[in-house]
Amino acid sequence: MKVLKINPAYPQDFMRVFHDITNLFFEDTKIAKKEMVPDLEVHFTHSISDDHLIKTEAELHAEDEIYRSHYEQQYESEGTEREQKIRLKRALSHVLLDTLEQMTEIKQQWGILTGIRPTKLYHKFRKAGLTDEEIHQKLVSEFSLSDEKIDMLKKIVQTQLKTIPDLDQIHQEVSIYIGIPFCPTKCAYCTFPAYAIQSNRKQGRVATFLDGLHYEIEEMGKWLKENNIKITSVYFGGGTPTSIEADEMDALYKTMFDSFPHMEEVREITVEAGRPDTITEEKLEVLKKWGIDRISVNPQSYTDETLKAIGRHHSVQETIDKFWMARKSGMNNINMDLIIGLPNEGLDEFEHSIEETEKMMPESLTVHTLSFKRASEMTHNKEKYKVADRKTAEAMMHRAHSWTEEHGYTPYYLYRQKNILGNLENVGYSLPGEESIYNIAIMEEAQTIIGLGCGASTKLVNNATGKINQYHNPKEPAQYILTYQDAFDKKIDALNELYDIVKK
């Protein structure tokens, strides 16, 4: 752990950003309190001239060494008070980043960006009328991004606009997320709502949860019809939506098709079947019956020892068998996930996973980088899990980029997370025309996403103001069962307010 002292002290939101940037270089840092002896001490100075030139300087004191940096940025106008604050925060972040890069000799390809949606920033500049060249220059000068990352963002944005030509207008519609919180077991890296289905079934919670979910779907369908709001896409996530039985899936889809308006115009329906040990021929037949052919079959790794270590109770061979079972049954758009940096895996193991993927050639491949999420078992017991170092993780990601390019895949969405291995990213790749509309819509926050079911989040996007509010359903099945009706009413109130709908 490194203790960082900032001199002078800045507002809390500034200090949080400084902490996040320092964490890019060290596993764990703390901002020093009075009684703490710092390992690192940063001295900032800054000035803002009448012609809107911001200058910042930093001195980083580390042991017997001092590292210095200077940054300046010219702006055309004074800007609002909020804009002035953002500009200063960025300028100070630049000099802090630079001094830490000097000290550690680690170059941060994402520059000062610590947020999770860098493509959204690219879209913002695009919609403001900037050319690709102007956006590139802005991302370098104001955020210190590398050319490699900017080129990837440009390619992703181009693919997104080809996939959803009306991306800037789909705020007039909504997408639906339906959360089913059950899994066979919980993976060590996971913080999603994922509860053991067998124990919950014995306690009667699965059936009662499904009663609540049917209610939410039916009532939301009424609200959508009354207000003439169309659905762009529907996404069943979790947990693992295919954990429930085939007849339960069938009943759920029937309620959805009976309740939601204009289902024939919905552009995409996805069902995560991420755990291969939940896939059966009977469940695939149900999906086929309702015309759903976009699913996930997620290996995460093609090494059995790794699967055992992270708590996935299926084998590599089962993943392969279930993929071909799904393909034979008519699933024409299959996504597979791989995770970079899982315990005891290096470049050789990842190369093996790529070789196995090549035998199947799924329509899309999502490459995640391991993230130490605060509530995961892996984070709580880090000493149990030996994961790849930064250079190895970077090499694995570069291999993913090169392999997908060689085989005709294009990156189409990207997001980042805090505490992500090597300060890397998660990237969704697809073959042409097989991109997920839902993944683009939610990552770019292009429209309101209505969340139904356990642990589902409703993201309310106000297109006029750009403001985003979230409403969360209870995560635990027992709590959801007790409160889903009240929670639904509050969600409807929030939607009415967003759409300026007066209750009848």
Side-chain angles (χ1 to χ4, degrees):
M1 183 186 76
K2 296 285 186 181
V3 177
L4 173 69
K5 184 176 181 181
I6 304 290
N7 225 334
Y10 283 86
Q12 189 62 36
D13 56 328
F14 280 58
M15 302 297 273
R16 189 161 48 245
V17 170
F18 300 154
H19 181 245
D20 289 344
I21 288 174
T22 310
N23 265 348
L24 300 178
F25 297 87
F26 307 106
E27 185 171 322
D28 188 24
T29 60
K30 287 189 180 297
I31 300 295
K33 296 180 180 178
K34 287 183 179 179
E35 66 275 12
M36 291 182 173
V37 177
D39 301 295
L40 309 170
E41 188 166 352
V42 179
H43 297 266
F44 285 127
T45 60
H46 73 265
S47 65
I48 304 174
S49 65
D50 291 339
D51 63 347
H52 321 305
L53 176 68
I54 293 183
K55 293 183 179 181
T56 55
E57 293 183 351
E59 279 191 358
L60 172 64
H61 295 248
E63 297 181 353
D64 297 328
E65 298 290 336
I66 299 176
Y67 305 89
R68 295 180 176 87
S69 180
H70 169 85
Y71 174 82
E72 59 183 62
Q73 181 70 36
Q74 180 72 59
Y75 291 94
E76 295 179 1
S77 62
E78 183 178 8
T80 64
E81 186 177 341
R82 180 174 181 273
E83 286 171 336
Q84 291 175 32
K85 188 176 180 181
I86 290 171
R87 291 171 183 176
L88 178 57
K89 194 188 302 181
R90 286 178 187 165
L92 291 167
S93 296
H94 268 278
V95 288
L96 174 60
L97 181 82
D98 184 34
T99 56
L100 287 166
E101 287 182 336
Q102 292 175 42
M103 174 191 168
T104 62
E105 299 184 349
I106 296 172
K107 178 66 178 174
Q108 298 294 347
Q109 299 295 310
W110 285 107
I112 65 169
L113 284 187
T114 57
I116 68 174
R117 292 181 173 84
T119 42
K120 189 178 176 184
L121 187 62
Y122 201 107
H123 278 295
K124 176 185 174 183
F125 295 145
R126 172 187 65 81
K127 288 189 279 189
L130 275 66
T131 65
D132 287 329
E133 292 75 16
E134 289 169 334
I135 294 172
H136 191 288
Q137 180 56 37
K138 199 172 183 68
L139 291 173
V140 171
S141 64
E142 293 191 26
F143 300 93
S144 199
L145 265 67
S146 70
D147 291 343
E148 177 188 340
K149 299 304 182 188
I150 297 171
D151 289 345
M152 181 163 59
L153 294 181
K154 177 183 173 182
K155 186 179 290 188
I156 288 171
V157 166
Q158 289 173 339
T159 302
Q160 290 178 343
L161 292 170
K162 186 175 180 180
T163 302
I164 313 177
D166 59 341
L167 182 61
D168 295 342
Q169 286 78 46
I170 63 166
H171 61 270
Q172 298 168 5
E173 302 179 353
V174 299
S175 284
I176 307 289
Y177 176 87
I178 299 176
I180 297 176
F182 303 112
C183 274
T185 58
K186 186 156 186 168
C187 301
Y189 53 79
C190 182
T191 56
F192 289 105
Y195 299 89
I197 190 163
Q198 291 306 326
S199 60
N200 277 276
R201 192 175 289 284
K202 287 176 184 177
Q203 295 170 18
R205 288 179 182 158
V206 176
T208 314
F209 158 76
L210 288 171
D211 287 343
L213 184 54
H214 279 274
Y215 171 88
E216 278 205 272
I217 292 172
E218 289 168 353
E219 293 302 309
M220 185 56 68
K222 291 177 186 177
W223 184 86
L224 293 168
K225 287 175 180 175
E226 287 171 1
N227 297 291
N228 195 30
I229 295 174
K230 291 185 177 180
I231 299 170
T232 305
S233 62
V234 180
Y235 192 98
F236 286 82
T240 307
T242 46
S243 291
I244 60 176
E245 297 299 328
D247 62 318
E248 294 168 330
M249 291 169 57
D250 188 36
L252 201 56
Y253 304 152
K254 183 179 189 309
T255 296
M256 176 178 70
F257 275 85
D258 287 347
S259 303
F260 287 164
H262 309 295
M263 283 299 292
E264 72 281 357
E265 297 180 23
V266 173
R267 306 185 202 188
E268 171 187 278
I269 302 175
T270 300
V271 175
E272 284 191 2
R275 289 288 291 261
D277 41 342
T278 67
I279 300 172
T280 66
E281 290 184 352
E282 188 180 10
K283 293 176 186 179
L284 292 168
E285 282 300 313
V286 170
L287 292 169
K288 187 176 179 181
K289 170 185 173 181
W290 293 102
I292 300 169
D293 69 351
R294 188 176 194 282
I295 65 170
S296 295
V297 181
N298 296 336
Q300 314 299 21
S301 167
Y302 284 91
T303 300
D304 280 318
E305 291 80 2
T306 302
L307 296 178
K308 184 177 179 181
I310 62 176
R312 289 176 77 88
H313 292 184
H314 63 84
S315 66
V316 168
Q317 190 58 48
E318 187 169 10
T319 301
I320 296 167
D321 292 344
K322 295 301 176 66
F323 174 90
W324 291 115
M325 178 191 289
R327 181 68 87 212
K328 185 179 178 181
S329 77
M331 295 296 116
N332 295 316
N333 191 338
I334 301 177
N335 175 76
M336 303 189 92
D337 285 2
L338 295 177
I339 299 179
I340 283 172
L342 288 172
N344 303 311
E345 289 207 347
L347 195 53
D348 288 345
E349 288 77 13
F350 187 69
E351 187 67 38
H352 173 66
S353 290
I354 289 291
E355 290 170 358
E356 291 299 316
T357 302
E358 189 169 340
K359 295 174 184 176
M360 288 170 275
M361 291 296 289
E363 281 68 28
S364 57
L365 177 70
T366 306
V367 180
H368 298 271
T369 305
L370 183 66
S371 172
F372 287 96
K373 299 173 184 177
R374 189 179 303 169
S376 72
E377 195 277 335
M378 189 174 287
T379 301
H380 289 170
N381 296 283
K382 275 190 177 182
E383 67 282 352
K384 277 178 57 180
Y385 301 96
K386 183 182 177 183
V387 301
D389 59 23
R390 178 185 290 266
K391 287 186 178 179
T392 303
E394 287 176 351
M396 293 159 85
M397 182 57 82
H398 278 293
R399 182 64 184 119
H401 290 333
S402 63
W403 183 89
T404 50
E405 188 173 6
E406 290 162 10
H407 291 79
Y409 292 83
T410 301
Y412 77 95
Y413 81 97
L414 175 152
Y415 69 101
R416 304 176 66 233
Q417 294 168 287
K418 288 188 178 180
N419 302 317
I420 195 168
L421 202 62
N423 190 29
L424 290 169
E425 60 272 346
N426 306 304
V427 186
Y429 302 89
S430 74
L431 296 173
E434 306 292 357
E435 300 82 8
S436 165
I437 290 169
Y438 176 85
N439 283 338
I440 295 172
I442 193 167
M443 289 303 162
E444 306 315 325
E445 298 180 320
Q447 64 176 178
T448 288
I449 307 288
I450 297 175
L452 308 176
C454 213
S457 294
T458 294
K459 183 172 287 188
L460 304 163
V461 179
N462 188 317
N463 186 65
T465 65
K467 188 176 180 180
I468 297 172
N469 290 317
Q470 292 197 52
Y471 181 84
H472 303 281
N473 276 10
K475 283 189 176 183
E476 295 183 358
Q479 187 183 3
Y480 174 85
I481 289 163
L482 293 173
T483 62
Y484 67 83
Q485 289 179 316
D486 288 341
F488 183 83
D489 291 342
K490 291 176 182 176
K491 186 157 41 191
I492 290 295
D493 287 343
L495 285 164
N496 284 337
E497 183 178 350
L498 176 67
Y499 287 93
D500 198 22
I501 294 169
V502 179
K503 282 187 177 181
K504 296 178 181 178

